[in-house]
Amino acid sequence: GNPEVQSEKLLAYEAGYRIRPSERLSMDVAVFYNEHSDLMTFEPLASYTVAGTPVLLMMPIQQQNKASATSHGLGWSGSWQPDHKWRFRAAYSWLRMSVRRDADSLDTSLKNTSGESPQHQMNLQASYALNARTDLSAALYYVDELPALNIPADTRLGLRGGWRPRRDLELSLAARNLLDPRHPEFFTASGPKNSEVPRSILGTATWRF
């Protein structure tokens, strides 16, 4: 324990702009710059031995505030509806992080922290209304690699169909991850094996009242 540990601090600067040049077209853009201070580190302390059978070598680690960071990026999203049947959506985000340890910090766990978040993400979505009761949609997603976790970039495709036999009832069928039978999204150090997200089919019934 360490009673002198402080809460991590964030000073964030954000700006955004929204434009709607017509009833069928809209766009949003946002930028940000963040300053992080008093970030938590895990610092090794002096080792010592404890007498006994066997003799124990103790190597204590203490939480301290010996790191800082900056992060900045932007996000864009847009929507276009050319007619009453078609609707298109798109979004993109970019992120850059830089983590710094204090000169006297011995923490090695922060070395690759910036590589644990994707630098680029984007998605494209299209939906089509066959009639007043039936609609179809498709979505394509891209997530950049996570080099610190050895997770490759991933592209996913999903399809969905919905049918409303009544105003208050909707039945839908969706297929996800159609481009790959399974893919990893994160690395977990606490288990013997990383879980992966599999290809799946999902049926849903929604009743509104």
Side-chain angles (χ1 to χ4, degrees), residues 128-136 160-167 169-171:
Y128 179 72
L130 289 175
N131 50 55
R133 294 175 176 240
T134 309
D135 58 75
L136 304 173
R160 179 187 181 276
W163 176 54
R164 293 173 294 278
R166 299 173 28 165
R167 180 177 298 180
L169 178 64
E170 181 182 45
L171 305 176

Side-chain angles (χ1 to χ4, degrees), residues 7 26 43 88 204:
S7 297
S26 64
E43 305 294 338
F88 300 91
T204 305

Side-chain angles (χ1 to χ4, degrees), residues 132-209:
R133 294 175 176 240
T134 309
D135 58 75
L136 304 173
S137 62
L140 183 68
Y141 300 89
Y142 172 80
V143 179
D144 205 2
E145 64 178 345
L146 305 179
L149 305 178
N150 197 30
I151 301 295
D154 174 56
T155 302
R156 308 191 310 274
L157 174 66
L159 301 176
R160 179 187 181 276
W163 176 54
R164 293 173 294 278
R166 299 173 28 165
R167 180 177 298 180
D168 56 355
L169 178 64
E170 181 182 45
L171 305 176
S172 66
L173 185 65
R176 301 173 177 174
N177 301 319
L178 294 178
L179 302 181
D180 195 348
R182 63 182 57 84
H183 65 274
E185 292 188 352
F186 205 71
F187 173 80
T188 215
S190 59
K193 184 177 180 180
N194 292 331
S195 60
E196 297 188 355
V197 180
R199 181 180 293 153
S200 61
I201 296 177
L202 176 67
T204 305
T206 304
W207 177 37
R208 296 179 175 86
F209 57 91

